[in-house]
Structure formats: structure tokens, C-alpha cells
Amino acid sequence: MQYVRVVCVVLIGAVVSHALGSEVTSPQIPAGTAPLGFTVPANGILTILVLIGSVLIGARFPAGALLVPLLAGSAMQLGGVFIIDLPQWLLCLAYGALGCYVGLRFDRETFDFVVRRLPSMLLSALALIALCALSALFIAKLLGKDFLSVYLATSPGGLDSMAIIALDTQADVGLVLAMQTMRLFGVILVGPYLARQIIRLSR
């Protein structure tokens, strides 16, 4: 169900993002400028070094390889140490690795199971996406943000896939990552308790 949901979220998110992408205006940092005088190539090297170091540290913890680089990069950029500058070739490698990681986890047994129950899975995924889109309408008006950024921020897809779409469509990546990260922490903190209550009620 998670695979079907993610596929639906990514496909619908891509369509919505490209349909509304022209309405989004995000602040652009002039090329070659940085708070401490670093040039763009230096920013790229520092970004890669921080990325490698934080991944090695975060690999010891659950979801650490994703969360530690996110927190480290945010602290570095907000603290004015340097501007995060990811080379295009690195983004392409990351997108390819992510696609292979998801695609190669499908096996014949999983595929057969999904095919037999696909209608109900699609219906539940679409209902969840619709509810999140409705909440995005309310939150966009409440925060005064564009609908696309809030839609990606509230979309029930993975943090990584929503970040990719936000980058590609020039949405407010900071808002998307912040809300998706808070959702991730919320699921981690509240999920086990809710699961225990559902099990208790089902008995």
C-alpha cells in the first residue's frame, strides 16, 4: 500500500506541480555570492563534504542518513557558513539511486499481491491525497503561501520524493522540507501509540 500510495502521490504531485509551477516565485540567490565570501565552486565542495560527513554519522541512527544531512545543511546555511550548492550531476545520481532503491524492492510476490488488491489500494490512496489537498487549501490561506508549495508540504508522499518535485518546480523547498520533516517526526512519535490502540480496539 505504501508503494501504491507513493506512486500515486508522485504522479499526481508531478502533474499538479507542473500545472501550477508557473505561479510560484521563489527567492533566488545571485550566482557567485555567499555570506562569507565563498565562491560557488567552494560552496559545492563544502556541501559535498558536509553531506558525506553527516551521512556517515547519521547512518548509525534510524532515518539518520536522511535527517542528519538535513539538519546539518540547514544549520550551516542558516548560520551563514556557506550557501548549499548541489552540482547537477550529483542531483542526477541521487535521483537515479532513489529510483533504483524503490524499484528494486519490488519482487514477484509483492507485484502479484498488489495486482489482486489494486482497486482498493488506489481508492484509499486517492482519498488520502484528496484530504491532504483540502488541508493544503486551508493552510495556504492561513499562512499566505502559494498552493503548490503547501500542497507538496502536506502531500502524503515521502520527504525525498516531495523534495525532488519541489526543487524541480521552484516551489518553496524550505517550507516543504520543514512540514514533511515535522510530519515524519509526528508519525514516529504518535504512530506506535495509535497502532497499539488500533490493535486493542480490533480485538
Side-chain angles (χ1 to χ4, degrees), residues 39-181:
T39 62
V40 172
N43 285 329
I45 294 172
L46 289 172
T47 299
I48 294 174
L49 290 177
V50 171
L51 176 64
I52 294 174
S54 56
V55 166
L56 291 176
I57 295 172
R60 305 174 184 177
F61 310 102
L66 176 67
L67 296 178
V68 173
L70 189 152
L71 295 174
S74 299
M76 292 290 183
Q77 179 148 310
L78 292 175
V81 179
F82 64 91
I83 295 175
I84 295 175
D85 180 38
L86 290 175
Q88 188 64 32
W89 60 266
L90 182 60
L91 286 174
C92 292
L93 286 177
Y95 295 166
L98 181 63
C100 290
Y101 171 77
V102 174
L104 292 175
R105 294 185 68 179
F106 279 92
D107 53 25
R108 184 58 182 267
E109 182 181 358
T110 303
F111 180 77
D112 292 339
F113 180 87
V114 169
V115 168
R116 291 194 299 270
R117 294 162 177 82
L118 190 58
S120 58
M121 290 184 179
L122 284 173
L123 183 61
S124 63
L126 293 175
L128 181 60
I129 293 171
L131 289 172
C132 290
L134 288 176
S135 70
L137 283 172
F138 172 75
I139 296 174
K141 293 183 179 297
L142 186 66
L143 300 180
K145 293 285 187 177
D146 60 279
F147 173 73
L148 173 58
S149 296
V150 180
Y151 172 79
L152 294 176
T154 58
S155 183
L159 173 63
D160 41 15
S161 57
M162 292 301 102
I164 289 173
I165 296 176
L167 283 169
D168 187 50
T169 56
Q170 297 298 312
D172 190 341
V173 181
L175 175 68
V176 173
L177 291 179
M179 291 188 67
Q180 289 285 349
T181 302

